[in-house]
Amino acid sequence: MARVSAFYRSTVGKKVLMAITGFVLLGFVVVHMIGNLKAFMGAEYFNTYAEALRALGAPFFGHGQALWLFRIVLLGSVLIHAFFGIQLWLVSNRARPIGYEKTPYLQTTAASLTMRWGGLLIGGYVVYHLMHLTIGNVNPDFIPGDAYHNLVVGFESTTAAAAYVIAVFVLALHLYHGTWSALQTLGLNHPKYNSWRRGIAAVLAIVLLVGFATVPVAVQLGVLK
Amino acid sequence: MRLTLHVWRQASGSPSGRFERYDMPDADEHMSFLEMLDVLNNRLIEQGKDPIAFEHDCREGICGSCGMVINGRPHGPVQRVTACQLHMRSFKDGDDIWLEPWRARAFPVLKDLVVDRSAFDRIIQAGGYISIRTGAAPDANAVPIPKRDADSAMDAAACIGCGACVAACPNGSAMLFTAAKISHLGLLPQGQPERFSRVLDMVGTMDEEGFGSCTNHGSCEAACPKGISLDFIARLNRDLIRATLGKGMEVEAPAGGAG
Amino acid sequence: MELRSRVPDGPIEQKWDKHRFDLKLVNPANKRKYEIIVVGSGLAGAAAAATLGELGYKVKCFTYHDSPRRAHSIAAQGGINAAKNYQNDGDSIYRLFYDTVKGGDFRAREANVYRLAQVSLNIIDQCVAQGVPFAREYGGLLANRSFGGAQVSRTFYARGQTGQQLLLGAYSALERQIAAGTVTMYPRSEMLDVIVVDGHARGIVVRDMVTGKISSHMANAVALGTGGYSNVFFLSTNAKACNVTATWRAYRRGAAFANPCFTQIHPTCIPQAGDYQSKLTLMSESLRNDGRIWVPQQPGDTRAAKDIPDAERDYYLERIYPSFGNLSPRDVSSRRAKEMVDNGQGVGVEKNGVYLDFQDAIQRLGQHVIAERYGNLFDMYQQITGENPYQVPMRIYPAPHYTMGGLWVDYNLMSTLPGLFVIGEANFSDHGANRLGASALMQGLADGYFVLPYTIGEYLTSNKAGSVAADVPEAKAAEAQAAETTQRLLGVNGKRTVDVFHRELGRVMWNECGMARNATGLKRALAEIPRIREEFWTDVRVPGSGLELNQELEKAGRVADFLEFAELMCLDALGRDESCGGHFREEHQTPDGEAKRDDEQFAHVAAWAYQGPNATPALHKEPLAFEYVHLATRSYK
């Protein structure tokens, strides 16, 4: 137990928890993207899929119950990820009270440098995203149960579509560094495969960026309507 | 060559400082960087001014004493070279050179470019050793060590404790330093008995000293004059996770009883 | 003063065992009542402090560095000798002993050297157990390389960083004791004096280099592991802060200084590039395996190396020493290089070096082989000089890098000042007039781990002097004196900086008491040094105050001591009217220029005792008997 508490108190332990929750969220994002692409199979297919998500786990779970379970896990992951992220951010800020006149940015990338603000931005966007397409209170014409309709209506607004694409871009950037960083934090390295880690992270980020951005772009181009 | 230096000046015992500008009209390209500062300092003394304090000793890139951020890079523009081995031919006529101390809360400035790095010693005190009594060692060849492991341990042990990793890290983290020592000892059979308590203790002390949290930028690796690899940080993380999961605490059967 | 070496009786193989048995032990419960001060945290100091702490003594360890890990032991490259005979090539304790006595040109004490060879075995065991990552063979066993002055392969190494790895081992042992509370570490603390109470060393005066505070620390015994004095030459391969202050202060308090003129000049260093040069960099001696050393035949030849045809080059080592050629020993190669440069045949802009040329080796073996063997050295050379040694020959020149002389110690490593022990390079004990490669690390660790921790107990138990308070008059007086010296240095307020004087002293020492010495030059130096010293005390400028981090003040104190010490060094060199090892008196050479020893008159240790500020020191001689290794002339033709 002493070790667990030492682990929890350490910056490394907190980061490990961030890495684990990060992978949970990454899994969700991948599934989410695949789900989105089902929009290209037509309204009926898409709505059936959306309904199937609610029916998940039947008959052991009631309607929507399993989905809520997933939502709770996701919410928990987000909170843990964000909480420790912010805590470690503060630790690092305190570690250098006086900054450099000439800042050494060595081997850093846009992705690695934007992890924290990017994370906050993604968090903020997710709230809007839920109000936009799940709750519907900021959607111009929200029809509960008709997910395909809500999606198309939601992305007919150029602003909303652009915001989505930007958010996805930030997410891809976050995951490009995040995936690699999480592997490193979990100590998952091996001289043989180390060079693959960056590559996997890059491919993942690009696939997600393209996969997610396709839907709003398709709506804007009138492919989905 | 003519150079303009902007040097962080902070009086002994003072909490704050500022940049001062110095002209160096006649730097020679064959001078080492520190010799250029020697020349400047001798002039300052002759003019009745206070010379710039900077730490240095062996001037061969091995003692780890020297270190300053030169134009935004710990140890200056040449990779894998300490400030003492840097030569003026790496600069050109008319250059502006900014000199700053390592910036980290755990490394308070003592004067000008001199910082207190005793936090590193305290991290080592927390467990950066193998507990072996003098004279209690078995024959040196009693335990063969695969060459690969010995070489890898040597890669980690090459750390000179200069602190460039902390200085370069956007988070002011000391993970590379700590990981290098943990890996050096953890890769050797002699280091196994204390391997997992060592990582918990050293990481704990590292955090207490006020270093920041690693986000895997890799700046440390780029700044390290000895090229210590980021892979050692992954190794530290792995050992810490394994330690938390009880590695190194296993007891096969309860002690006791017989006889 | 009586020089009692306290060498035990009996056959040489049994002396140390017998002595250890005869030494009084300190009751474990009593150990914590004894306080021991260790000054210096290099191989000898850190090893001693850690081991003494582990034994239960209360230890205080002082260093002027910010961390014990920075001590100059860290810069040693090549390796450490031990008579393990892992290579099965006929090595033995006796052979290491024999090689060391002979390599030291018969000016070391046999019993000490034998003990050194004996404990060399334990050192390697100890270091491996500490996690020192020595080089290994594919089978997992320790690798060895051969080194100068030996026909067996007995040198253990950790890449080119052996000193670093050994020091980090000793440092980790020390940090472990600090964590355990048995050792209190005082970094950034410079020792300024030894406190002598009733004829015994009972403490030291130190200056806190951050606050400037001068204070006294008392103990039951004091051990100095403060290194050598090569920086008396200003330009040497030593770290910038290396100094003679601790040993010099001890000398002034009654510890005799032995063989100060025994200095070692390393043949392969990068020559000085300009007046601003601050130190010299060693290039590993291994380069001489493939490089050919030459100078232009014609003095004053200014052509580039590639424009000088082979017929107009003088491969002087190959010419003079056909059998050893470019691999002639350190002292011989150094002296010949100096001759060439003095004769105007030097190369480079400053005409102060000789070529070390790899063209033949590159043509014979290919550049990749040379890169594989010496890549890191070539890179370092290029980084420092800006020249590519694959294309133009390296320029090398000898430089001071080790001092065999030091405070006189008996077999127990105690100086002539009771209670003051001296370990590592700071003492004179084991290397005679010339040190073999890879033996310095061995001696530092031998003294620190395996000798002092035993022998100090004998002193502690047989001298019942209890603890002394830090406010005894002797301590207060020493403190006041240290403070006064500091104030004096700050108060001169002249025109020239400390470095100017140090360079001037270095120039005199290098010219008159360097690689080759003669009576006329030494007398000249003995006239020059007091003049420089006087000018120093009337014209030096030390800025700032004593109550802050003041690097110029630190330097000034050290140079002031060098200015006194240098005189003793020249006096010793003048008195030793023979050539031996690193001490080459031009008057004493064979017709073909080799060193000529005078065993009749000089088979002794010259130990100098301080007699007061302006008095000539008294010379005491410890005769050296060679019962096991018989006196013979070294030859490398």
Side-chain angles (χ1 to χ4, degrees), chain A residues 96-125:
Chain A
R96 179 163 296 139
I98 301 171
Y100 289 105
E101 180 71 26
K102 300 277 173 196
T103 309
Y105 287 120
L106 303 176
Q107 209 166 299
T108 54
T109 60
S112 74
L113 288 171
T114 53
M115 288 302 279
R116 288 155 180 163
W117 287 107
L120 284 186
L121 207 70
I122 294 164
Y125 181 79

Side-chain angles (χ1 to χ4, degrees), chain A residues 47-126:
Chain A
N47 283 344
T48 314
Y49 163 71
E51 179 51 30
L53 286 181
R54 290 189 172 76
L56 206 68
F60 300 104
F61 286 98
H63 189 76
Q65 275 180 358
L67 189 62
W68 269 107
L69 202 68
F70 277 114
R71 283 172 173 163
I72 287 165
V73 170
L74 288 177
L75 184 68
S77 295
V78 167
L79 289 178
I80 292 172
H81 198 79
F83 178 77
F84 289 127
I86 291 167
Q87 204 181 21
L88 293 176
W89 190 350
L90 296 175
V91 166
S92 292
N93 271 352
R94 272 201 302 273
R96 179 163 296 139
I98 301 171
Y100 289 105
E101 180 71 26
K102 300 277 173 196
T103 309
Y105 287 120
L106 303 176
Q107 209 166 299
T108 54
T109 60
S112 74
L113 288 171
T114 53
M115 288 302 279
R116 288 155 180 163
W117 287 107
L120 284 186
L121 207 70
I122 294 164
Y125 181 79
V126 166

